């Protein structure tokens, strides 16, 4: 069997965040793969919601995005964007997954601009549902590759709230969700200190060191007291990823053979 | 019973309802049911200083930006699934040619909802504590949103102001001549947009008898009372798709995406596919019936099955 | 029902290559509806000759094959219908009133145009528009080899979800080719109406040798295949006759 790729570690780690019977708000890419993996294994009763308005689908082909008709197949409801997002405000959504261009130590995200807002160096796509998910889902998970341009001391524009300025800030802003619980990167799995609300290193993928992870992060980041090694994924999970869920490797890159 | 007048109009006539300087909102999500034949007609006719009030109609925004017709955009996210960011739109923002006002999706929908329900504001919970509210685009911050305490307790919410587009343009599956509109797949933000807008224009794949609508009233998205004009435009969402009819044309989308990397290539592309073709049927013939028919979706799956064409 | 696993998909050209010169060919469709025109144009393109044509009633499909020089004979009407019915029922002869019984007629090849088929060749005709007098299933039963064109090749799910449609099981057909607007300019009930103007032009054109050649060049020999022919006919004409593009299953 091929070597386990970083994408595969990320997909497996993300899937583990989903609990059985969760209502999960899912975006395009790795979150979609992680959700299908969770559903096929430990969380068969997970209820998947997509911002295009698709509820609990049974797709037979992998969708290229949340607006793709491949995703609508076998769903229990096809609605609109308002319907899907309103489930967040109602408090129905347990978990959401987000990607980002920048993330700071408190898990705040930027997907709006690089450079000044009015004359940006790079105009990014904008919040979309990300701010809604981070504000209102009971918890959320960030999936992001670790590098110093992404893991920054201060985001250039705060699109999506993590813990904002630190302990108590979400509550003061009136945000109903509890905030980020995990950041799944391509080198390590990160979490947040229960009191400090700062990001810390929880699990290292095989071959990774604390120093290498710290090196790829532009803000100071410490290890969790319970730091451990992420084990190699179970062969059963790898087979599901490679043969059933994403056989063409659209979202999950393969390791070297 | 007195006969109800038909709302069927030509594409040219419908597009004339959008004046230069008008505000516009459009249906669609990702590569699905965006009113792009209408957008191409607007580009042919030429407009300037348009304002978009948008949630996810990325292709409408991109083409209007590419044609230099946009001035201001209230929006939440423009992104081409599977391709990347909307290049002409993004470049226009970076150049300062288009001013933007950012929101979350739910923030935009809530503002349209406030207008649609005839309310002075809509309370909501997202966006608080972020730069979406802290940094003003072109709108004075206190005109966009304010923090307020619930009149019924201590809960603090964000009140957002209404957005009332002059015109909503929607592409749907089918309608009758009276303007009863049905759409089978995801419905993006169409209901909220149609309620909020001053004038509602619907372009459709098929015109059917009212009897067909009445047989499946549960599929009706907009009843006739919500609709001002209906245009019969088969393949009117191309190169995006319409659920139950045709899938998005990924080759055509990729072709545009490649062209949109530079301004000159984009101009050539627009000349070829908008300015250079007198009307929608010339556009369809330029694509060819073969290509259009090979986009047809499978009736059970709702999307195009690969490799079914001999 | 016997299950076939192999694909029955073919291009129109491959399908028509199974029609030998001189064969007895039954043409499906009835009363200006669902004539297998895409298959017929391909027969002309491939230059088949000496075909002995049979069918329920005459019409443009037969006239065109005759005018193009592909047909040796044409037989339609009540007598030949009885002989085909007899073959379909497995009889050797058709009962008749006073005279001698006529022999059952088993066509070598049957050409049909249906609505949908899956890759194993299960062909369906929508029950919503099916007329009991439609001869297609009977012809298929009578013939030695069935070649079908359909508006659309669809998934097996789409076929199985419509269990009450009149159908031809894949095991009973030789091959199926996708040909949208494959009955044009005749009608295909759920999808499009008769293209009155195009049909009238064609009927007039094939009457005289001088206009026949021009018509054949424009509609048959000019385009490389059916798909190119559709590109030439164009969106205005095709979408002009199109009705319900979605029959929800």
């Amino acid at each position: 069997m091929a070597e386990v790729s970083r994408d595969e570690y990320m997909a497996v780690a993300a899937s583990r965040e989903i609990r059985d019977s969760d209502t999960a708000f899912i975006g395009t890419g790795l979150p979609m793969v992680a959700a299908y993996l969770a559903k096929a294994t430990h969380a068969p009763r997970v209820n998947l919601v997509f911002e295009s308005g698709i509820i609990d689908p049974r797709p037979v082909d992998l969708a290229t995005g949340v607006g793709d008709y491949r995703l609508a197949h076998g769903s229990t409801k096809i609605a609109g964007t308002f319907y899907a997002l309103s489930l967040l405000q109602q408090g129905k959504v347990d978990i959401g997954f987000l990607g980002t261009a920048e993330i700071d130590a408190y898990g705040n995200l930027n997907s709006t601009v690089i450079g000044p807002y009015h004359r940006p160096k790079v105009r990014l796509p904008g919040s979309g549902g990300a701010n809604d998910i981070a504000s209102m889902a009971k918890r959320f998970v960030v999936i992001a590759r670790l590098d110093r341009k992404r893991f920054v001391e201060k985001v250039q524009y705060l699109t999506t709230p993590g813990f904002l300025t630190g302990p108590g800030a979400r509550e003061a802003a009136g945000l109903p969700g509890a905030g980020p619980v995990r950041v799944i990167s391509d080198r390590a799995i990160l979490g947040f200190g229960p009191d400090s609300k700062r990001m810390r290193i929880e699990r290292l993928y095989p071959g990774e060191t604390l120093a290498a992870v710290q090196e790829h992060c532009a803000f100071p980041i410490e290890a969790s007291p319970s730091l451990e090694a992420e084990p190699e994924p179970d062969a059963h999970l790898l087979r599901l990823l490679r043969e059933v869920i994403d056989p063409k490797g659209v979202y999950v890159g393969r390791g070297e053979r | 019973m007195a006969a109800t007048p038909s709302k069927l109009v030509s594409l040219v006539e419908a597009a004339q309802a959008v004046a230069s300087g008008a505000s516009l909102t459009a249906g669609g999500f990702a590569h699905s049911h965006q009113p792009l034949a209408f957008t191409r007609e607007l580009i042919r006719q030429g407009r300037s200083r348009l304002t978009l009030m948008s949630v996810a109609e990325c292709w409408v925004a991109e083409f209007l930006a590419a044609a230099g017709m946009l001035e201001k955009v209230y929006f939440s996210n423009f992104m081409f699934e599977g391709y990347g960011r909307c290049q002409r739109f993004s470049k226009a923002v970076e150049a300062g040619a288009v001013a933007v006002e950012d929101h979350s999706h739910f923030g935009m929908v809530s503002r349209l909802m406030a207008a649609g329900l005839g309310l002075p504001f809509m309370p909501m919970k997202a966006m608080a504590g972020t730069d979406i509210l802290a940094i003003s685009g072109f709108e004075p911050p206190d005109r966009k949103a304010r923090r307020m305490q619930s009149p019924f307790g201590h809960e603090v919410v964000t009140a957002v102001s209404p957005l009332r587009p002059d015109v909503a343009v929607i592409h749907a599956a089918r309608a009758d001549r009276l303007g009863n509109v049905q759409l089978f797949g995801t419905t993006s933000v169409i209901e909220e947009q149609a309620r909020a807008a001053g004038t509602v224009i619907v372009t459709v794949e098929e015109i059917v008898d009212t009897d067909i609508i009445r047989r499946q009233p549960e599929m009706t998205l907009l009843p006739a009372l919500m609709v001002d004009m209906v245009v019969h435009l088969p393949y009117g969402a191309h190169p995006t798709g319409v659920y139950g009819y045709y899938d998005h044309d990924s080759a055509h989308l990729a072709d545009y995406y490649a062209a949109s990397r530079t301004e000159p290539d984009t101009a050539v592309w627009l000349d070829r596919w908008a300015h250079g073709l007198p009307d929608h049927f010339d556009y369809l013939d330029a694509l060819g019936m073969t290509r259009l028919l090979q986009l047809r979706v499978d009736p059970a799956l709702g999307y195009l099955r690969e490799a079914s064409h001999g | 029902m016997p299950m076939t696993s192999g694909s029955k998909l073919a291009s129109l050209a491959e399908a028509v290559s199974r029609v030998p010169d001189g064969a007895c060919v039954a043409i499906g469709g009835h009363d200006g509806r669902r004539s297998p025109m895409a298959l017929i144009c391909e027969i002309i393109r491939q230059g088949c000759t000496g075909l002995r044509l049979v069918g329920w009633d005459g019409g443009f499909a037969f006239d065109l094959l005759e005018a193009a020089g592909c047909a040796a004979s044409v037989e339609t009407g009540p007598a030949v219908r009885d002989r085909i019915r007899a073959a379909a029922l497995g009889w050797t002869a058709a009962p008749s009133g006073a005279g001698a019984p006529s022999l059952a007629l088993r066509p070598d090849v049957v050409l049909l145009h249906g609505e949908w088929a899956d890759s194993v060749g299960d062909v369906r005709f929508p029950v919503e528009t099916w007329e009991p007098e439609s001869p297609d299933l009977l012809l298929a039963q009578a013939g030695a080899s069935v070649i079908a064109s359909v508006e659309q090749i669809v998934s097996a799910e789409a076929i199985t979800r419509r269990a009450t449609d009149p159908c031809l099981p894949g095991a009973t057909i030789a091959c199926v080719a996708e040909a949208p607007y494959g009955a044009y300019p005749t009608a295909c009930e759920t999808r499009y109406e008769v293209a009155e103007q195009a049909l009238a032009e064609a009927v007039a054109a094939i009457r005289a040798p001088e206009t026949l050649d021009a018509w054949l060049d424009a509609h048959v020999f000019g385009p490389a295949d059916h798909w190119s022919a559709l590109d030439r006919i164009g969106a205005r004409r095709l979408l002009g006759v199109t009705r319900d593009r979605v029959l929800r299953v």
Side-chain angles (χ1 to χ4, degrees), chain A residues 13 41 248:
Chain A
T41 54
K248 290 181 187 162

Side-chain angles (χ1 to χ4, degrees), chain A residues 51 60-61 65-67 69-70 78-82 89 117-119 123 125-128 131-132 157-158 164 173, chain B residues 32 75-78 81 85 94 102 104-106 113 127 129 131-132 136-137 147 186-188 241-243 247 303:
Chain A
E51 84 181 14
V60 291
D61 292 292
V66 297
Y69 304 147
R70 277 150 200 79
I78 298 183
T81 301
F82 170 74
Q89 186 163 286
Y117 183 73
H118 291 93
R119 285 300 292 273
R123 173 68 218 195
S127 161
N131 177 293
D132 302 315
Y157 180 101
L158 202 169
L164 298 172
Chain B
S32 178
F75 82 122
S76 41
N77 178 283
F78 292 148
E81 274 186 1
R85 63 199 194 112
E94 289 158 16
D102 269 275
S104 72
H105 271 341
F106 202 63
M113 186 77 102
M127 302 199 292
D131 286 339
I132 292 177
S136 161
R147 303 283 288 156
T186 52
T187 54
S188 57
V242 176
Y243 186 78
D247 218 319
Y303 54 84

Side-chain angles (χ1 to χ4, degrees), chain B residues 13 31 50 59 79 82 84 171 181 215 267 294:
Chain B
E13 198 180 330
H31 308 315
L50 295 177
W59 286 100
M79 168 86 185
H171 187 74
V181 176
R215 265 185 241 166
Q294 289 185 345

Side-chain angles (χ1 to χ4, degrees), chain C residues 7-228:
Chain C
S7 169
K8 290 285 173 84
L9 296 184
S11 69
L12 285 164
E14 287 160 0
V16 164
S17 69
R18 295 166 171 264
V19 182
D21 287 342
C24 176
V25 176
I27 295 177
H30 175 56
D31 198 20
R33 296 194 300 273
R34 273 190 300 98
S35 294
M37 295 308 302
L39 286 166
I40 283 163
C41 289
E42 185 58 30
I43 283 179
I44 299 170
R45 222 172 261 127
Q46 293 192 12
C48 296
T49 56
L51 302 178
R52 291 172 292 129
L53 305 179
V54 296
W56 237 232
D57 42 20
F60 178 63
F62 293 83
D63 298 345
L64 178 60
L65 281 172
E66 267 198 302
C70 301
S73 63
V74 175
E75 259 190 286
T76 59
V80 78
R81 289 181 192 181
D82 283 347
R83 296 178 60 201
I84 292 169
R85 283 193 187 101
L89 291 168
W91 298 345
T92 51
S96 61
S102 50
L103 287 177
L105 176 65
R106 185 168 174 76
D108 302 314
V109 178
V110 180
L111 304 179
L112 302 171
H113 185 67
E115 178 86 13
W116 300 293
D118 58 14
S119 63
V120 298
D122 290 323
V123 175
R124 287 196 185 267
F125 304 85
V127 69
E128 289 86 342
T129 51
W130 181 255
E131 297 189 353
E133 62 270 28
S134 178
D136 292 12
L137 297 185
L138 202 67
L139 291 175
Q141 221 174 328
S145 174
V146 179
I147 295 173
S149 59
V150 291
E151 287 294 317
Q152 191 175 3
I153 300 292
V154 298
S155 62
E157 292 95 311
I159 294 293
T160 54
R161 276 162 67 158
R162 293 187 56 94
T164 57
D165 277 340
C167 76
L168 288 170
T172 68
I173 71 159
C175 62
V176 60
E178 187 174 53
Y181 295 97
Y184 181 91
T186 71
C188 183
E189 297 94 334
T190 54
R191 299 239 177 178
Y192 44 93
E193 295 157 5
V194 175
E196 301 280 4
Q197 196 193 339
L199 185 59
E201 284 168 12
V203 166
I206 66 171
R207 278 199 190 117
E210 55 275 19
T211 49
L212 170 69
D213 286 348
W215 192 91
L216 287 175
D217 283 343
H219 294 89
V220 181
F221 297 121
D225 59 15
H226 175 67
W227 296 94
S228 312

Side-chain angles (χ1 to χ4, degrees), chain A residues 29-99:
Chain A
L30 271 180
M32 212 181 253
V33 170
Y36 295 162
L37 185 60
K39 197 173 179 68
T41 54
H42 66 278
R45 287 170 295 180
V46 64
N47 213 332
L48 306 183
V49 177
F50 299 84
E51 84 181 14
S52 52
I54 294 167
I55 314 286
D56 192 20
R58 296 280 185 279
V60 291
D61 292 292
L62 191 63
T64 58
V66 297
D68 189 335
Y69 304 147
R70 277 150 200 79
L71 188 59
H73 188 70
S75 57
T76 54
K77 183 175 176 71
I78 298 183
T81 301
F82 170 74
Y83 185 87
L85 294 167
S86 67
L87 298 173
L88 287 161
Q89 186 163 286
Q90 194 191 348
K92 284 276 187 201
V93 177
D94 298 296
I95 185 169
F97 290 88
L98 300 172

Side-chain angles (χ1 to χ4, degrees), chain A residues 98-215:
Chain A
L98 300 172
T100 189
E102 288 186 325
I103 180 169
D104 69 15
Y106 291 111
N108 299 306
L109 312 180
N110 172 19
S111 56
T112 302
V113 285
I114 300 298
Y117 183 73
H118 291 93
R119 285 300 292 273
K121 190 159 159 278
V122 182
R123 173 68 218 195
L124 298 168
S127 161
N131 177 293
D132 302 315
I133 292 167
S135 298
M136 304 186 292
K138 288 180 189 157
R139 62 186 197 278
F140 74 93
V141 173
V142 181
I143 299 180
R145 277 167 219 290
L146 196 67
D147 67 65
R148 295 180 70 87
K149 281 191 170 168
R150 198 183 304 269
F151 284 69
V152 294
E153 183 61 43
K154 185 176 177 3
V155 290
Q156 296 180 59
Y157 180 101
L158 202 169
T159 311
T160 295
F163 291 109
L164 298 172
T165 53
R170 283 183 68 94
E171 293 76 3
L175 298 176
V181 289
R182 214 76 64 203
V183 180
I184 292 166
S185 82
D186 52 346
R187 294 176 182 275
I189 299 168
L190 315 166
F192 294 87
D195 301 319
S196 71
K197 303 298 182 193
R198 278 188 68 94
M199 204 184 296
R200 57 188 199 175
I201 305 165
E202 293 184 338
R203 282 175 170 227
L204 293 170
Y205 297 160
E208 289 295 339
T209 63
L210 209 52
V213 172
Q214 286 165 330
E215 168 73 14

